[in-house]
Amino acid sequence: MSFVRAFVRWGCCTAAIASLAVPSVAADKKTKDTAIETPSYYGLQPATESIDLTMYARIREEGFKHSHVMEFGGALADGIGPRLTGSPNMAKANAWTRDTLTKIGLENAHLEDWGEFGMGWQQINTWVRMVSPDPEPLWAQAAPWSPATNGPVTGKVVYMNVQEMGDLEKYKGMLKGKIVLLGAMRPTPDVTEPLFHRYTDAELKEMETYESGGGRYTPGSPEFAKYIAERLKMADLRKAALKMMADEGSVAVITPSRDSADGGGTGIIFDDNGANLARDAQKKENAVTIPNAVMMIEHYNRLGRLIENHVPVTLELNIETKFTGDHEHGFDTVAEIPGTDPKLKDQIVMVGGHLDSWISGTGATDNGAGSIVAMEAVRILKSLGIRPKRTIRIALWSGEEQGLFGSLGYVKQHFGTFAEPKDPQPAYLPAFMRQRGPLSTTKEWETLDAYYNLDNGTGKVRGVYTQENWAIAPIFKQWIAPLADLGVTTISYRNTGGTDHLSFDAVGLPGFQYIQDPMDYETRTHHSDMDTYDRLHALDLEQAAVVEAIFLYNTSEREAMMPRKPFPHPELQKQMSAPIPGIYPNAVPAVDAPK
């Protein structure tokens, strides 16, 4: 799951800010009344779903008694390892998923190029040790896209805790040949509660309530303005500090690992966007030229305390990395179970997860889990010899961790694009937060029935978020009623963010993320060196694959397409949010207001 998780509520609802009326009948005054057919995704839906409980039983039998989900997990996490977009391992994962999907019987398995990503890179080896005052091995990993040190280097340590631009002055002339600690020490909170959690009935019930509003970080709010100001300030500080280090000849930079939820970040290395010293560090023009690594907080704190107490520290380190190209492209893996109904076979039901990961672990729960569950779901359907009415398509994305690049590229190529807005957008805003012009759709946009996504770790499915798609909740409620014994009970009207269903939702297509038990995802495994095969839970993943296969089957067999939210009109956001003129009684025109 990518960095966009911080903006889960409003990040996806801004794309559907206004509605487009779809008429069912129009009168032609000059000739005769002509009926205009309403697409089924905007029309009335049947009150009662046709549910094949025999098929539910067959899917359960195959998914629970003949599962291959952990085989997929072992081959991906252990056999291939971390899968940074643009890296050799990512290329291996694309090829392996393409070939494996073909092997289990899917058709048209291929890779789709979504565009240039940036530099190809992999970590070969990283180690750090304290030479003096006390020899000790220290835990660290290369930050993504760090250059290599060209062998072991030794240097004295300078601790740079800069909070303002003026703080840089006191380090001038001190950095030549030094290993720099960049970033403040932080407390290591006590872990007083379990890091592992499953949702309680009360928590699931609370999810069924609707949360209105855009959240704390809605653009235009004081909180958002403060957040952006702090981010820009830190980016400028890092940029200036890096320039000073490069000019003076520092040999390496070490930053502290961040924390995670509930203090679970102690003793762990989180090696993700937060570890990069530059935004879009994968692009050649933004490349960081000084070897840099991220260190476990307890070891970083010890070094910082020694320096603050005037104890000289010498480190030896080796950051061994390899660049494999400056203009690597990103690819999605795509394959199908073709539809068989003459009227419906050209309509598409999609399932997916993101195949890419960060580098410190092996990307097992983020999002190897979602990828192997999707693979297992289509394997179940293929093993049962199901000939769906609609085509079922699996897509495994790359570039999700840097900004949903793979799914956004796929949606742009297949379904629709937004025009550039008239108002220039601030460069510091991520793409998903910027205003957009009108949406232009393709013919394929009319054929995408629904997209289902899993990207919240290894926990079993407890329900599904509707993304404020009010019409779809009664359908999902009927689908999950026979799955209550598996713990699938909750339909939440809320938006949830941070992953690839947002790319579909943004262009008015039904895109959904499942509710999953949190387990230790946010506290321990998300983007960390603990994200390994050992953290996968076989029974949970088997359950998730069964649920996903049932959703795919049900969608493929319905007569009507799944209901959609109103057509998105992001270009009208400002207009629809504008104050009502003259709302205050006795108000005077602005030109007459006192100066």
Side-chain angles (χ1 to χ4, degrees):
M1 175 172 290
S2 73
F3 71 99
V4 299
R5 186 179 182 85
F7 307 94
V8 296
R9 294 182 178 88
W10 57 265
C12 46
C13 62
T14 53
I17 199 70
S19 64
L20 174 68
V22 180
S24 57
V25 177
D28 186 339
K29 301 297 184 182
K30 295 183 178 179
T31 54
K32 62 180 181 178
D33 289 351
T34 303
I36 298 178
E37 183 179 355
T38 300
S40 62
Y41 46 74
Y42 286 140
L44 293 176
Q45 295 287 328
T48 303
E49 289 292 296
S50 177
I51 295 177
D52 186 346
L53 292 179
T54 300
M55 186 57 67
Y56 273 55
R58 292 183 65 200
I59 289 173
R60 283 179 180 239
E61 173 85 10
E62 178 64 26
F64 287 126
K65 294 190 177 180
H66 310 110
S67 176
H68 293 269
V69 70
M70 295 304 286
E71 292 178 39
F72 293 149
L76 182 62
D78 289 341
I80 296 175
R83 303 169 300 280
L84 191 69
T85 300
S87 71
N89 272 12
M90 186 66 234
K92 289 180 184 178
N94 278 134
W96 175 78
T97 49
R98 178 198 60 204
D99 297 344
T100 301
L101 290 168
T102 300
K103 190 176 297 184
I104 63 177
L106 272 71
E107 298 183 21
N108 192 29
H110 63 283
L111 305 184
E112 293 200 16
D113 185 338
W114 50 258
E116 185 175 317
F117 173 69
M119 297 184 291
W121 180 92
Q122 65 182 134
Q123 176 175 226
I124 308 299
N125 183 29
T126 298
W127 56 262
V128 183
R129 72 182 187 95
M130 182 160 59
V131 176
S132 65
D134 177 37
E136 181 190 11
L138 304 172
W139 290 9
Q141 291 211 26
W145 301 288
S146 165
T149 55
N150 296 318
V153 296
T154 302
K156 293 188 179 299
V157 175
V158 172
Y159 174 43
M160 289 184 70
N161 181 12
V162 291
Q163 302 300 320
E164 306 290 343
M165 282 293 184
D167 295 339
L168 292 172
E169 291 296 322
K170 58 187 175 184
Y171 299 103
K172 280 190 175 180
M174 298 174 55
L175 305 179
K176 182 176 177 59
K178 300 297 194 302
I179 296 172
V180 179
L181 304 184
L182 181 63
M185 294 180 283
R186 63 171 175 82
T188 53
D190 293 322
V191 180
T192 58
E193 300 293 334
L195 299 179
F196 185 95
H197 177 67
R198 291 189 184 274
Y199 283 129
T200 64
D201 290 343
E203 288 171 324
L204 291 170
K205 191 67 177 175
E206 192 276 334
M207 288 185 193
E208 294 177 350
T209 62
Y210 176 63
E211 286 186 330
S212 61
R216 289 180 58 209
Y217 293 112
T218 304
S221 69
E223 293 89 350
F224 182 77
K226 181 179 179 182
Y227 170 79
I228 290 296
E230 290 174 351
R231 292 291 297 267
L232 291 174
K233 175 183 173 182
M234 287 306 302
D236 288 343
L237 273 173
R238 280 195 167 188
K239 185 176 181 180
L242 279 172
K243 185 177 186 307
M244 181 186 294
M245 291 179 225
D247 291 344
E248 296 193 10
S250 299
V251 297
V253 180
I254 297 174
T255 57
S257 177
R258 62 171 175 83
D259 197 4
S260 65
D262 300 326
T266 58
I268 293 176
I269 296 173
F270 293 92
D271 206 351
D272 52 16
N273 273 313
N276 290 333
L277 296 179
R279 184 178 174 184
D280 292 332
Q282 77 276 8
K283 296 181 179 179
K284 183 67 174 178
E285 60 269 25
N286 299 327
V288 177
T289 59
I290 305 173
N292 56 104
V294 58
M295 182 175 284
M296 187 181 78
I297 187 60
E298 289 84 352
H299 289 173
Y300 187 91
N301 283 352
R302 183 187 182 192
L303 299 178
R305 287 191 298 268
L306 287 170
I307 298 298
E308 283 192 331
N309 286 279
H310 311 292
V311 178
V313 175
T314 300
L315 297 182
E316 183 183 20
L317 59 83
N318 182 25
I319 299 175
E320 186 179 356
T321 63
K322 181 181 179 181
F323 288 91
T324 56
D326 293 341
H327 304 283
E328 298 294 327
H329 280 228
F331 296 88
D332 302 320
T333 305
V334 181
E336 294 178 339
I337 302 175
T340 58
D341 186 281
K343 294 182 179 179
L344 303 178
K345 64 182 181 179
D346 292 332
Q347 296 176 8
I348 309 297
V349 184
M350 290 191 68
V351 64
H354 73 86
L355 198 55
D356 64 302
S357 76
W358 290 105
I359 64 163
S360 55
T362 57
T365 70
D366 189 21
N367 184 32
S371 296
I372 62 176
V373 164
M375 294 174 71
E376 173 67 1
V378 295
R379 186 205 66 80
I380 290 171
L381 297 178
K382 191 64 185 176
S383 295
L384 293 176
I386 291 172
R387 292 169 53 81
K389 292 180 179 179
R390 293 179 174 86
T391 295
I392 295 174
R393 180 180 295 165
I394 181 174
L396 302 175
W397 318 109
S398 62
E400 190 271 353
E401 295 293 0
Q402 292 75 41
L404 312 183
F405 293 153
S407 58
L408 284 172
Y410 184 90
V411 166
K412 182 177 180 180
Q413 291 172 14
H414 288 270
F415 303 126
T417 58
F418 292 96
E420 288 297 316
K422 295 179 180 179
D423 297 335
Q425 297 296 293
Y428 58 78
L429 285 180
F432 80 99
M433 292 169 56
R434 298 179 184 179
Q435 293 180 16
R436 289 166 288 190
L439 171 64
S440 297
T441 61
T442 68
K443 186 65 177 175
E444 285 185 81
W445 183 87
E446 301 172 11
T447 66
L448 194 283
D449 202 356
Y451 170 73
Y452 300 105
N453 196 80
L454 194 84
D455 186 14
N456 286 157
T458 188
K460 69 181 179 181
V461 170
R462 306 303 303 276
V464 63
Y465 295 99
T466 72
Q467 296 295 127
E468 296 186 334
N469 186 331
W470 313 110
I472 215 160
I475 298 170
F476 285 163
K477 285 180 180 177
Q478 293 178 65
W479 288 6
I480 69 172
L483 302 175
D485 63 311
L486 299 182
V488 189
T489 60
T490 304
I491 303 298
S492 176
Y493 294 98
R494 300 176 184 179
N495 295 302
T496 187
T499 194
D500 293 293
H501 70 290
L502 296 180
S503 300
F504 293 81
D505 184 71
V507 296
L509 295 171
F512 306 103
Q513 169 78 9
Y514 292 103
I515 300 168
Q516 292 177 261
D517 273 334
M519 319 293 267
D520 55 355
Y521 182 66
E522 293 289 353
T523 58
R524 187 162 59 158
T525 70
H526 182 237
H527 297 180
S528 84
D529 57 344
M530 295 291 104
D531 190 6
T532 66
Y533 179 91
D534 309 83
R535 301 274 68 81
L536 295 176
H537 285 249
L539 295 179
D540 291 68
L541 296 174
E542 290 172 9
Q543 182 260 20
V546 165
V547 173
E548 201 159 65
I550 287 171
F551 270 62
L552 290 172
Y553 177 77
N554 286 349
T555 309
S556 72
E557 301 305 293
R558 296 181 86 243
E559 288 302 315
M561 294 183 74
M562 299 295 275
R564 297 183 181 182
K565 295 191 292 189
F567 190 90
H569 282 285
E571 74 279 8
L572 301 180
Q573 180 180 1
K574 179 183 288 188
Q575 172 187 330
M576 297 190 69
S577 301
I580 300 174
I583 191 67
Y584 274 77
N586 306 317
V588 297
V591 292
D592 298 328
K595 304 298 183 188

PDB file of all heavy atoms in Angstrom, residues 139-151:
ATOM      1  N   TRP A 139      22.375  -2.246  12.558  1.00  0.00           N
ATOM      2  CA  TRP A 139      21.385  -2.696  11.577  1.00  0.00           C
ATOM      3  C   TRP A 139      20.992  -1.545  10.663  1.00  0.00           C
ATOM      4  O   TRP A 139      20.481  -0.530  11.121  1.00  0.00           O
ATOM      5  CB  TRP A 139      20.139  -3.217  12.294  1.00  0.00           C
ATOM      6  CG  TRP A 139      20.360  -4.514  13.010  1.00  0.00           C
ATOM      7  CD1 TRP A 139      21.537  -5.154  13.215  1.00  0.00           C
ATOM      8  CD2 TRP A 139      19.346  -5.316  13.631  1.00  0.00           C
ATOM      9  NE1 TRP A 139      21.347  -6.307  13.927  1.00  0.00           N
ATOM     10  CE2 TRP A 139      20.005  -6.438  14.194  1.00  0.00           C
ATOM     11  CE3 TRP A 139      17.974  -5.204  13.772  1.00  0.00           C
ATOM     12  CZ2 TRP A 139      19.313  -7.433  14.882  1.00  0.00           C
ATOM     13  CZ3 TRP A 139      17.288  -6.197  14.456  1.00  0.00           C
ATOM     14  CH2 TRP A 139      17.949  -7.297  14.994  1.00  0.00           C
ATOM     15  N   ALA A 140      21.230  -1.739   9.369  1.00  0.00           N
ATOM     16  CA  ALA A 140      20.876  -0.709   8.391  1.00  0.00           C
ATOM     17  C   ALA A 140      20.685  -1.363   7.033  1.00  0.00           C
ATOM     18  O   ALA A 140      21.168  -2.471   6.783  1.00  0.00           O
ATOM     19  CB  ALA A 140      21.960   0.360   8.313  1.00  0.00           C
ATOM     20  N   GLN A 141      19.964  -0.657   6.162  1.00  0.00           N
ATOM     21  CA  GLN A 141      19.823  -1.069   4.773  1.00  0.00           C
ATOM     22  C   GLN A 141      19.959   0.156   3.884  1.00  0.00           C
ATOM     23  O   GLN A 141      19.679   1.279   4.313  1.00  0.00           O
ATOM     24  CB  GLN A 141      18.464  -1.734   4.525  1.00  0.00           C
ATOM     25  CG  GLN A 141      18.304  -3.083   5.203  1.00  0.00           C
ATOM     26  CD  GLN A 141      17.395  -4.016   4.434  1.00  0.00           C
ATOM     27  OE1 GLN A 141      17.248  -3.907   3.209  1.00  0.00           O
ATOM     28  NE2 GLN A 141      16.781  -4.942   5.135  1.00  0.00           N
ATOM     29  N   ALA A 142      20.385  -0.083   2.650  1.00  0.00           N
ATOM     30  CA  ALA A 142      20.467   1.028   1.695  1.00  0.00           C
ATOM     31  C   ALA A 142      19.097   1.622   1.479  1.00  0.00           C
ATOM     32  O   ALA A 142      18.094   0.910   1.421  1.00  0.00           O
ATOM     33  CB  ALA A 142      21.036   0.532   0.368  1.00  0.00           C
ATOM     34  N   ALA A 143      19.038   2.940   1.378  1.00  0.00           N
ATOM     35  CA  ALA A 143      17.792   3.578   0.969  1.00  0.00           C
ATOM     36  C   ALA A 143      17.592   3.329  -0.524  1.00  0.00           C
ATOM     37  O   ALA A 143      18.560   3.268  -1.286  1.00  0.00           O
ATOM     38  CB  ALA A 143      17.843   5.070   1.258  1.00  0.00           C
ATOM     39  N   PRO A 144      16.338   3.165  -0.968  1.00  0.00           N
ATOM     40  CA  PRO A 144      16.115   2.921  -2.395  1.00  0.00           C
ATOM     41  C   PRO A 144      16.758   3.988  -3.270  1.00  0.00           C
ATOM     42  O   PRO A 144      16.686   5.174  -2.975  1.00  0.00           O
ATOM     43  CB  PRO A 144      14.582   2.960  -2.507  1.00  0.00           C
ATOM     44  CG  PRO A 144      14.105   2.565  -1.144  1.00  0.00           C
ATOM     45  CD  PRO A 144      15.095   3.152  -0.191  1.00  0.00           C
ATOM     46  N   TRP A 145      17.425   3.528  -4.322  1.00  0.00           N
ATOM     47  CA  TRP A 145      18.120   4.338  -5.321  1.00  0.00           C
ATOM     48  C   TRP A 145      19.355   5.058  -4.761  1.00  0.00           C
ATOM     49  O   TRP A 145      19.824   6.043  -5.319  1.00  0.00           O
ATOM     50  CB  TRP A 145      17.168   5.329  -5.998  1.00  0.00           C
ATOM     51  CG  TRP A 145      16.046   4.599  -6.663  1.00  0.00           C
ATOM     52  CD1 TRP A 145      16.114   3.844  -7.800  1.00  0.00           C
ATOM     53  CD2 TRP A 145      14.696   4.506  -6.203  1.00  0.00           C
ATOM     54  NE1 TRP A 145      14.895   3.287  -8.068  1.00  0.00           N
ATOM     55  CE2 TRP A 145      14.004   3.681  -7.118  1.00  0.00           C
ATOM     56  CE3 TRP A 145      13.988   5.042  -5.112  1.00  0.00           C
ATOM     57  CZ2 TRP A 145      12.642   3.375  -6.971  1.00  0.00           C
ATOM     58  CZ3 TRP A 145      12.647   4.738  -4.970  1.00  0.00           C
ATOM     59  CH2 TRP A 145      11.995   3.919  -5.878  1.00  0.00           C
ATOM     60  N   SER A 146      19.901   4.516  -3.673  1.00  0.00           N
ATOM     61  CA  SER A 146      21.179   5.038  -3.179  1.00  0.00           C
ATOM     62  C   SER A 146      22.311   4.577  -4.080  1.00  0.00           C
ATOM     63  O   SER A 146      22.340   3.424  -4.517  1.00  0.00           O
ATOM     64  CB  SER A 146      21.439   4.532  -1.761  1.00  0.00           C
ATOM     65  OG  SER A 146      22.797   4.728  -1.390  1.00  0.00           O
ATOM     66  N   PRO A 147      23.289   5.441  -4.352  1.00  0.00           N
ATOM     67  CA  PRO A 147      24.497   4.974  -5.042  1.00  0.00           C
ATOM     68  C   PRO A 147      25.333   4.109  -4.101  1.00  0.00           C
ATOM     69  O   PRO A 147      25.108   4.086  -2.894  1.00  0.00           O
ATOM     70  CB  PRO A 147      25.208   6.272  -5.403  1.00  0.00           C
ATOM     71  CG  PRO A 147      24.746   7.258  -4.383  1.00  0.00           C
ATOM     72  CD  PRO A 147      23.336   6.882  -4.048  1.00  0.00           C
ATOM     73  N   ALA A 148      26.299   3.419  -4.662  1.00  0.00           N
ATOM     74  CA  ALA A 148      27.173   2.555  -3.875  1.00  0.00           C
ATOM     75  C   ALA A 148      28.361   3.351  -3.326  1.00  0.00           C
ATOM     76  O   ALA A 148      28.699   4.424  -3.821  1.00  0.00           O
ATOM     77  CB  ALA A 148      27.680   1.406  -4.742  1.00  0.00           C
ATOM     78  N   THR A 149      28.991   2.786  -2.307  1.00  0.00           N
ATOM     79  CA  THR A 149      30.202   3.394  -1.744  1.00  0.00           C
ATOM     80  C   THR A 149      31.467   2.917  -2.448  1.00  0.00           C
ATOM     81  O   THR A 149      32.560   3.360  -2.105  1.00  0.00           O
ATOM     82  CB  THR A 149      30.322   3.056  -0.249  1.00  0.00           C
ATOM     83  OG1 THR A 149      30.275   1.625  -0.078  1.00  0.00           O
ATOM     84  CG2 THR A 149      29.204   3.706   0.553  1.00  0.00           C
ATOM     85  N   ASN A 150      31.341   1.995  -3.381  1.00  0.00           N
ATOM     86  CA  ASN A 150      32.512   1.424  -4.073  1.00  0.00           C
ATOM     87  C   ASN A 150      33.462   0.758  -3.089  1.00  0.00           C
ATOM     88  O   ASN A 150      34.669   0.984  -3.095  1.00  0.00           O
ATOM     89  CB  ASN A 150      33.244   2.495  -4.892  1.00  0.00           C
ATOM     90  CG  ASN A 150      32.379   3.048  -6.003  1.00  0.00           C
ATOM     91  OD1 ASN A 150      31.676   2.300  -6.679  1.00  0.00           O
ATOM     92  ND2 ASN A 150      32.403   4.354  -6.185  1.00  0.00           N
ATOM     93  N   GLY A 151      32.875  -0.065  -2.230  1.00  0.00           N
ATOM     94  CA  GLY A 151      33.661  -0.775  -1.241  1.00  0.00           C
ATOM     95  C   GLY A 151      33.510  -0.163   0.143  1.00  0.00           C
ATOM     96  O   GLY A 151      32.901   0.893   0.312  1.00  0.00           O
TER      97      GLY A 151
END
